[in-house]
Amino acid sequence: MLTLQFFVVEAIAASRFGGYSYTRDTISDLGTAESSARLLMNGSFIVQGVLIAAGALLLGPGLAGTGGRLTRVLLTLSGIGVLLVGVFPSDGDGTVHAVAAGVHLLGGAIGLTALAYGVRPRSEGLGTLLAVLGLLGVIATIFFGAAVFLFLGEGGTERVAAYVLPIGLTAAGVALWRQKDDWLALTNPDGTPSRRQLREDARLQRAQQAAARDAALEAAANRRPEPRPAPQPASQPAAEDDDFDPEDPWAPRRR
């Protein structure tokens, strides 16, 4: 959540840079010798790198599965990248600066996508938001690297690629902080599910299996053909009414 400091420092540095444009000029320009606030901006880059890496590691217990493990690796690399951006300004060692910036932008965007899978079991809405931000960051990074700026300009395209990470991390930090009592109780310090979590997962699985079984039985019962009515015996002709007289069996009968 503290990565939001970047926006504050950037605004201060830009205001002290005469004629600076968010769409035309890159973020790195604020850390060059032409910027009167270069020390402040480069210091913000370094602090940002420490915050991203430390936050990714501290969120370990709240991240599940392979997505959680990839998140810690990718965001740590992204943090190291932006830290090196602050140590090596673009007007100094330009090669190291460019490589570090690329690692930061691409690692951060892909890291957000991994983070989306890591938090999705806890919040589907947050997972979807992070996946969208990660995809947007990857696209913007590719466009920025290929010098395809469209209507955003060079600085605007770079900012789309860079801004998604602090925004996504802040959203994840707020959501996981609000759920901390749940996921801390259901995970071990290394991020693996606790016994309570395993029991809850097993109970939920049994309930789902029972519901599926009941639904299958009900569907099978509904498909059974209705029993056919038993055939009725053929109707017998009504016995003829006669006037048989047992005392005179030879008497003629009347019709």
Side-chain angles (χ1 to χ4, degrees):
M1 292 167 60
L2 294 176
T3 57
L4 293 178
Q5 61 85 26
F6 171 79
F7 295 108
V8 178
V9 175
E10 181 192 28
I12 295 173
S15 66
R16 297 173 59 181
F17 194 114
Y20 186 84
S21 171
Y22 272 64
T23 58
R24 184 183 63 252
D25 300 317
T26 65
I27 302 173
S28 297
D29 291 341
L30 296 174
T32 62
E34 297 180 4
S35 172
S36 59
R38 61 183 180 278
L39 294 178
L40 180 63
M41 193 70 238
N42 288 327
S44 176
F45 287 141
I46 295 172
V47 171
Q48 190 79 340
V50 173
L51 289 173
I52 292 172
L57 296 176
L58 290 173
L59 283 180
L63 306 178
T66 304
R69 291 190 292 272
L70 288 176
T71 297
R72 292 191 285 276
V73 174
L74 292 170
L75 291 187
T76 299
L77 289 175
S78 178
I80 294 173
V82 71
L83 186 149
L84 293 176
V85 166
V87 174
F88 300 97
S90 59
D91 60 346
D93 193 329
T95 301
V96 175
H97 181 91
V99 172
V103 171
H104 167 60
L105 296 178
L106 195 58
I110 301 176
L112 279 182
T113 305
L115 180 60
Y117 285 96
V119 303
R120 194 173 182 85
R122 308 189 187 283
S123 174
E124 184 173 352
L126 176 62
T128 301
L129 172 63
L130 294 175
V132 172
L133 289 174
L135 178 61
L136 182 62
V138 170
I139 295 174
T141 299
I142 293 174
F143 278 22
F144 179 70
V148 179
F149 307 133
L150 302 179
F151 60 90
L152 296 173
E154 183 178 8
T157 304
E158 183 190 27
R159 282 174 168 82
V160 173
Y163 285 1
V164 294
L165 183 56
I167 292 174
L169 293 180
T170 300
V174 171
L176 291 176
W177 177 264
R178 296 178 62 182
Q179 299 176 3
K180 66 182 185 303
D181 293 336
D182 294 333
W183 59 261
L184 284 176
L186 300 178
T187 52
N188 297 319
D190 60 354
T192 58
S194 65
R195 291 184 179 180
R196 176 184 169 189
Q197 178 67 78
L198 294 175
R199 289 195 300 268
E200 290 292 327
D201 292 343
R203 182 189 60 79
L204 179 60
Q205 184 178 10
R206 289 194 300 270
Q208 291 174 342
Q209 291 174 347
R213 183 176 62 251
D214 293 342
L217 291 175
E218 183 178 357
N222 292 334
R223 289 196 299 267
R224 291 177 181 173
E226 296 182 358
R228 296 181 179 179
Q232 298 294 331
S235 58
Q236 299 293 333
E240 297 182 356
D241 185 19
D242 55 31
D243 56 351
F244 176 74
D245 186 359
E247 296 181 355
D248 187 8
W250 302 107
R253 299 179 180 180
R254 296 191 302 273
R255 295 291 181 183

